């Protein structure tokens, strides 16, 4: 049986937003929490961020299309971080460079970059929300590279404002479940080399987002 590789979520993201239909919800179950604490999960409401936008600016963002891909983040310096939750091929050394490259090559073919709207609408509550995220959005189409990064940074800065966030301090055995379509999330990297083990389940999309 193939193993599932451990990962760290090191930037703001929507789970699996490099696929056209990302999971509708995510469930986490804390197995092992660092002794001194740390590794809190923080969620930001991407719908609340949309509401912060000036109306004209919101209208502009609504017309834009971006590109999402699983391999975008410059912060992901380790190959082992690239393929969150992917199976390790039978017989491969989990952390070898060769195994990492093989996984990247295979996944890049299986999941090429996709075009996504910068702003999406939640299928159940009708709320507009910011869908681009640091973890998976590489650029905005139709503008220069500099403009693209500036526009993305503008939205990312809003995601990082405390007014749209909630923070959860894990204890062993805790569960968290959230609507993956209308929040972005981040795990605080403040526990050094301590062990933090959290199981994840994602709920399949229903084809409408
Ligand atoms: Fe995640």
């Amino acid at each position: 049986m193939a193993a599932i590789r451990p990962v760290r979520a090191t930037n703001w993201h929507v789970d699996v937003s490099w696929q056209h239909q990302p999971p509708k919800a995510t469930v986490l179950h804390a197995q092992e929490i660092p002794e001194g604490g740390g590794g809190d999960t923080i969620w930001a409401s991407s719908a609340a961020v949309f509401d912060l936008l000036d109306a004209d600016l919101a209208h502009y963002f609504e017309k834009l299309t971006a590109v999402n891909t699983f391999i975008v983040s410059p912060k992901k310096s380790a190959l082992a971080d690239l393929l969150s939750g992917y199976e390790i091929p039978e017989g491969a050394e989990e952390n070898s460079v060769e195994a990492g490259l093989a996984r990247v090559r295979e996944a890049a073919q299986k999941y090429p970059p996709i075009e996504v709207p910068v702003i999406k609408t939640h299928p159940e509550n009708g709320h507009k929300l910011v869908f681009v995220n640091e973890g998976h959005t590489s650029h905005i189409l139709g503008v220069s590279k500099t403009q693209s990064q500036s526009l993305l940074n503008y939205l990312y800065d809003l995601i990082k404002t405390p007014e749209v966030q909630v923070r959860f301090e894990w204890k062993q055995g805790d569960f968290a479940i959230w609507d993956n379509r209308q929040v972005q999330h981040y795990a605080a990297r403040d526990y050094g080399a301590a062990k933090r083990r959290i199981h994840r389940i994602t709920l399949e999309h229903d084809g409408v987002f």
Side-chain angles (χ1 to χ4, degrees), residues 9 11 13-16 26 28 84 178 180 185-186 200:
N11 46 26
H13 65 283
V14 174
D15 280 338
V16 200
T26 298
L28 293 184
S84 170
W178 67 90
N180 184 51
H185 60 284
Y186 176 92
R200 184 184 85 167

Side-chain angles (χ1 to χ4, degrees), residues 101-123:
L101 282 171
R103 288 201 299 275
V104 170
R105 273 195 294 267
E106 184 183 329
Q109 284 189 330
K110 192 173 177 184
Y111 301 108
I114 60 169
E115 292 187 11
V116 298
V118 169
I119 306 296
K120 275 196 169 194
T121 301
H122 192 278

Side-chain angles (χ1 to χ4, degrees), residues 30-204:
Q31 307 293 307
E32 199 173 351
I33 297 303
E35 209 164 291
D40 296 357
T41 295
I42 307 164
W43 293 269
S45 166
S46 41
V49 167
F50 180 84
D51 289 344
L52 290 175
L53 297 173
D54 170 82
D56 289 341
L57 195 51
H59 185 61
Y60 175 65
F61 277 120
E62 281 185 81
K63 292 188 287 187
L64 296 176
T65 299
V67 173
N68 276 14
T69 168
F70 70 90
I71 200 169
V72 67
S73 175
K75 292 178 184 169
K76 291 180 177 176
S77 55
L79 282 172
D81 276 349
L82 283 172
L83 292 175
S84 170
Y86 274 83
E87 289 187 355
I88 299 158
E90 204 77 59
E93 285 289 328
E94 179 179 336
N95 291 319
S96 73
V97 171
E98 292 77 13
L101 282 171
R103 288 201 299 275
V104 170
R105 273 195 294 267
E106 184 183 329
Q109 284 189 330
K110 192 173 177 184
Y111 301 108
I114 60 169
E115 292 187 11
V116 298
V118 169
I119 306 296
K120 275 196 169 194
T121 301
H122 192 278
E124 289 162 24
N125 60 29
H127 210 126
K128 289 178 179 169
L129 49 88
V130 172
F131 188 65
V132 287
N133 62 90
E134 272 190 338
H136 302 143
T137 301
S138 62
H139 62 288
I140 291 174
L141 294 171
V143 297
S144 71
K145 187 177 176 183
T146 306
Q147 282 178 306
S148 166
Q149 202 52 59
S150 296
L151 291 166
L152 288 172
N153 285 343
Y154 183 87
L155 296 172
Y156 297 162
D157 282 349
L158 292 178
I159 287 285
K160 292 170 188 170
T161 54
E163 286 80 1
V164 302
Q165 296 177 359
V166 63
R167 181 169 182 142
F168 184 61
E169 187 180 337
W170 290 97
K171 293 181 186 60
Q172 189 174 332
D174 282 346
F175 278 95
I177 180 168
W178 67 90
D179 185 331
N180 184 51
R181 301 163 299 186
Q182 59 182 331
V183 297
Q184 300 190 15
H185 60 284
Y186 176 92
R189 297 189 76 171
D190 57 357
Y191 52 98
K195 202 165 177 190
R196 175 182 182 269
R197 193 162 53 90
I198 295 188
H199 288 174
R200 184 184 85 167
I201 298 171
T202 53
L203 275 60
E204 196 172 355

